[in-house]
Amino acid sequence: MSDPTNEYLTFILDNEEFGVSILAVQEIRVWSTVTDMPNTPDYIKGVINLRGVIVPIVDLRQRLNKSPIEYNENTVVIVLKQAIEDKSIIVGVVVDAVSDVYNFSSKDIKESPDFGSEIDNRFVHGMATTDEKIIVILDAVKLLDVKELYQISGSLNKIAS
C-alpha cells in the first residue's frame, strides 16, 4: 500500500519558505486594513469581519520572532481554520507572499532537528525538501492554539530575558 500524499500551501517569510496543510486553509486574501485591538501582543495586528465572523489577524513574521517589515502588494493574509477541542478556530496570518502548493507523503516530512531550548520550534511539524530547498512545515493546530496565541507574556519575553 502506498503512502498517501498531502497538499501543503507554501509561503515566504523573511526569504524562507514555510508550508501549512492546505486542509487548514480557508482562503487567501490581499492585505487590507484591520481594526486595532488594545492590550494585545505586537504580533496581533487586529481583527477583520469576514462574512460576519470576527477573525484575529496575526503577523506570522513577528509570531515567529522575525523582524517586521512594511506590507506591500505581495503581502497576503492566509485565513486558517482548525477544529481544536471541539471549537472551530479561525485566524488570519500575514505572510510576505504565497509561494506554491506541494504534495508530500508523510515519509517525505522529516522531524525537525533538536536545536536545544534556545530555539522555539513548537510550531514546526517537520521539514520537507524539494528542488534543493528545505520547506519548514508548520503545525496549524499548534499555530492556532488560543492559549499560546493570546498569551502576552509568551516566548517573546523569554527570548528577551
Side-chain angles (χ1 to χ4, degrees), residues 4-86:
T5 61
N6 295 305
E7 289 185 311
Y8 293 87
L9 175 70
T10 62
F11 51 89
I12 306 299
L13 283 177
D14 200 21
N15 296 318
E16 294 179 52
E17 196 162 6
F18 292 82
V20 66
S21 171
I22 205 147
L23 296 176
V25 176
Q26 180 173 318
E27 66 184 81
I28 300 169
R29 302 171 50 92
V30 295
W31 169 254
S32 59
T33 58
V34 298
T35 301
D36 190 35
M37 293 297 299
N39 299 318
T40 58
D42 288 342
Y43 57 82
I44 297 181
K45 297 293 134 189
V47 295
I48 62 169
N49 182 342
L50 184 63
R51 294 180 293 282
V53 176
I54 303 301
V55 177
I57 304 298
V58 173
D59 186 313
L60 199 52
R61 265 178 165 269
Q62 289 180 274
R63 183 67 179 120
L64 298 177
N65 297 318
K66 296 181 175 292
S67 299
I69 62 167
E70 291 291 321
Y71 298 155
N72 60 39
E73 65 277 356
N74 294 323
T75 304
V76 296
V77 175
I78 302 172
V79 179
L80 300 174
K81 183 176 184 178
Q82 279 292 132
I84 301 174
E85 296 178 11
D86 298 328

Side-chain angles (χ1 to χ4, degrees), residues 64-119:
L64 298 177
N65 297 318
K66 296 181 175 292
S67 299
I69 62 167
E70 291 291 321
Y71 298 155
N72 60 39
E73 65 277 356
N74 294 323
T75 304
V76 296
V77 175
I78 302 172
V79 179
L80 300 174
K81 183 176 184 178
Q82 279 292 132
I84 301 174
E85 296 178 11
D86 298 328
K87 285 195 236 175
S88 183
I89 307 295
I90 301 174
V91 173
V93 293
V94 181
V95 300
D96 298 353
V98 170
S99 181
D100 211 337
V101 175
Y102 291 101
N103 289 309
F104 295 120
S105 70
S106 57
K107 66 181 176 189
D108 293 333
I109 299 175
K110 308 299 183 203
E111 189 173 310
S112 174
D114 184 4
F115 293 107
S117 61
E118 296 302 310
I119 303 290

